[in-house]
Amino acid sequence: MKTLLNQELIDRMLVGSSVYATGGGLEYTVQRKLFGALLKQNRKLTLVSIDELHDEDYVCTAYGVGSAGNTDIDLSVPLKRALQTLEAHTKKKFKAIFAGETNIDALVFQAAASMDLPVVDADCTG
């Protein structure tokens, strides 16, 4: 498991994500702002390797749907409620959050931090 402790490590991740997204997802400056807020709140931002998960572990995607251009708000409260509702419905606890698309890192980490979960270090679209 890797912990993202500072803006430099986050910036490296965001640059790579932005390149692979080829213009899709959240703007770099918006993501930096959202990550900055998470760092100021001392939120735990961790990545987990697929190899660290077990076959019986459950992961879930979580982020907003719609135009990424105006997404500069903290969605962690509604995303946390949605994830808790899904856990209650399925009677399964999630072990991690998975980014279902590239360059939405800030939203995924908001959701994961609100649930005290890591983000899976993988890309299903790249």
Side-chain angles (χ1 to χ4, degrees):
M1 201 167 306
K2 301 175 195 172
T3 302
L4 302 175
L5 297 174
N6 59 50
Q7 192 67 52
E8 180 185 349
L9 292 174
I10 290 168
D11 285 345
R12 287 186 202 171
M13 179 184 66
L14 292 178
V15 167
S17 183
S18 295
V19 168
Y20 283 116
T22 63
L26 295 174
E27 292 180 25
Y28 180 82
T29 55
V30 171
Q31 292 214 75
R32 282 195 91 235
K33 177 182 173 184
L34 293 171
F35 270 112
L38 289 170
L39 289 173
K40 283 181 185 172
Q41 297 167 9
N42 293 317
R43 302 302 289 267
K44 187 175 176 183
L45 306 176
T46 54
L47 288 166
V48 64
S49 168
I50 291 174
D51 297 332
E52 295 175 86
L53 297 171
H54 303 287
D55 289 344
E56 62 275 2
D57 289 341
Y58 283 80
V59 299
C60 184
T61 60
Y63 49 89
V65 175
S67 172
N70 296 319
T71 307
D72 64 350
I73 60 171
D74 185 346
L75 296 174
S76 60
V77 173
L79 288 174
K80 181 177 182 176
R81 259 190 235 128
L83 290 168
Q84 288 172 329
T85 301
L86 188 56
E87 283 182 331
H89 180 72
T90 62
K91 297 178 178 34
K92 304 289 182 186
K93 283 290 200 185
F94 299 123
K95 296 291 182 177
I97 303 296
F98 180 72
E101 64 182 83
T102 303
N103 209 31
I104 56 160
D105 309 277
L107 297 179
V108 174
F109 274 93
Q110 279 182 339
S114 74
M115 296 285 290
D116 196 27
L117 293 172
V119 172
V120 178
D121 190 3
D123 175 19
C124 68
T125 60

